[in-house]
Amino acid sequence: MKTLTSLACLLSAAFALPAFAQDYTLRIAHTNAADEVQDKGLQKMRELLEAKTDGRATIEIFPNGQLGDEAQLVEQVMLGSLDVAMTANSTISNYITDYRVFDLPFLFPTIAKLNTVLDGPVYGMLEDSANDTGLELIAVYSSGIRHIMTKEEINSIDDLKNVKIRTMQNPIHVDAFTAFGANPTPLAYSELYGALQSGVVDGAEGAATNYTGQKLYEVAPDFAMVGWLNMTAPVFMQKAAFDMLPEDIQTAVLESGRESADWQRQYVDDQEKPLLDALVEKGVTITQPDPAPFQEAAVPLYNAMLETETQQALFDAVMETPTN
């Protein structure tokens, strides 16, 4: 089975190689734990891709940061040393700057709203923005709606004052938690458990999925349901490498990506309540702060973060999408 990173060599000698040279294995990496909701989506994509190509194409999944952190994975894809990556939107938005719109707080209050947006013209805009950066968008998964995990209970926005909250290394996330009154502390995801354990940070933001999957409840047993961000996880590859694939494989990859994303986002939605119930059984205290003060604090970020015409157009398209 040949990997895509050797595809250029394969194509140059296509007529001299035996039939097995038409098989394609796409190596895909991410930093989430195996069998977390994002990884489940990739497993579904593999199943669909193999079915659509009668086994001629598949994907090999490298979870849990085996091939590097998210920034490294983006760089590897752009250099062509890795076929496909899945990262948090906040990471890829440092490269595809239009995607920063999806980092804005409280943009998608539910997975259903996110689904509606991605089923419309917004998806084509996301594809165009990726292409302009030399990338091909394969899918948009969900990492769930993100809340706040801490060592002490958070019952209102006032309880966050000066609390050291780990954020992703993304300026919108930092500015959002500054607006909430916290002391945002950007750290790599791989450092989070140790930072919570040692007291480098007092808490973090995240979805119930990664809170559970990484056992962060062991070092931050309080979970405040704020819903500040509906985090997406784009799946992407180098456009030049994608264009080198046979047309039928390209079609199968894109179809498998979108169909797996539809399945994955629903799976995330279905998993939240069982995850929360399981967390309570593990001794986690779940609180329900009033989200209105958080939403009000986030409003000034919207105008400040929309810096280009394409970002504004994407934001407008999101806001104009009817809610089912």
Side-chain angles (χ1 to χ4, degrees), residues 106 148 154 156-157 160 180 226 289-299:
F106 301 104
I148 301 173
I154 301 296
S156 74
I157 194 171
L160 268 183
F180 299 156
V226 174
D290 181 1
F294 291 89
Q295 294 166 349
E296 292 168 8
V299 169

Side-chain angles (χ1 to χ4, degrees), residues 85-127:
M86 177 184 65
T87 72
N89 188 78
S90 58
T91 299
I92 192 60
S93 67
N94 290 320
Y95 302 82
I96 310 174
T97 55
D98 290 347
Y99 284 19
R100 291 177 183 172
V101 171
F102 274 49
D103 290 327
L104 290 170
F106 301 104
L107 198 61
F108 307 108
T110 63
I111 297 290
K113 171 66 175 179
L114 177 61
N115 289 341
T116 301
V117 167
L118 292 174
D119 285 342
V122 166
Y123 196 87
M125 299 171 74
L126 295 174
E127 289 180 312

Side-chain angles (χ1 to χ4, degrees), residues 98-303:
D98 290 347
Y99 284 19
R100 291 177 183 172
V101 171
F102 274 49
D103 290 327
L104 290 170
F106 301 104
L107 198 61
F108 307 108
T110 63
I111 297 290
K113 171 66 175 179
L114 177 61
N115 289 341
T116 301
V117 167
L118 292 174
D119 285 342
V122 166
Y123 196 87
M125 299 171 74
L126 295 174
E127 289 180 312
D128 291 343
S129 295
N131 290 169
D132 290 343
T133 315
L135 298 171
E136 184 74 31
L137 180 64
I138 306 300
V140 178
Y141 290 166
S142 171
S143 291
I145 297 177
R146 298 175 80 84
H147 308 288
I148 301 173
M149 63 190 83
T150 52
K151 297 181 178 182
E152 303 290 339
E153 285 186 29
I154 301 296
N155 291 291
S156 74
I157 194 171
D158 293 337
D159 292 337
L160 268 183
K161 186 174 182 180
N162 296 326
V163 175
K164 293 180 291 183
I165 296 293
R166 178 268 175 183
T167 67
M168 294 184 178
Q169 294 162 310
N170 177 284
I172 297 178
H173 290 211
V174 172
D175 288 350
F177 275 84
T178 298
F180 299 156
N183 179 8
T185 306
L187 287 173
Y189 185 56
S190 60
E191 300 174 19
L192 177 53
Y193 190 102
L196 286 166
Q197 190 174 42
S198 65
V200 171
V201 294
D202 305 312
E205 55 78 41
T209 51
N210 57 292
Y211 184 53
T212 300
Q214 298 294 329
K215 297 185 178 181
L216 297 171
Y217 54 83
E218 295 178 344
V219 285
D222 295 280
F223 201 55
M225 302 286 289
V226 174
W228 85 277
L229 183 67
N230 194 335
M231 173 66 79
T232 54
V235 180
F236 53 90
M237 66 185 298
Q238 185 194 69
K239 179 165 175 52
F242 176 82
D243 290 343
M244 291 171 67
L245 289 168
E247 187 173 346
D248 65 320
I249 302 294
Q250 290 181 26
T251 299
V253 168
L254 293 179
E255 288 180 354
S256 300
R258 291 202 67 169
E259 290 173 22
S260 68
D262 289 341
W263 176 89
Q264 190 268 350
R265 293 194 301 268
Q266 185 59 52
Y267 179 78
V268 170
D269 206 21
D270 292 341
Q271 289 298 300
E272 182 164 70
K273 187 179 185 307
L275 283 174
L276 293 174
D277 290 344
L279 287 168
V280 170
E281 292 180 1
K282 294 178 186 297
V284 171
T285 299
I286 296 178
T287 58
Q288 303 277 348
D290 181 1
F294 291 89
Q295 294 166 349
E296 292 168 8
V299 169
L301 297 177
Y302 282 51
N303 289 334

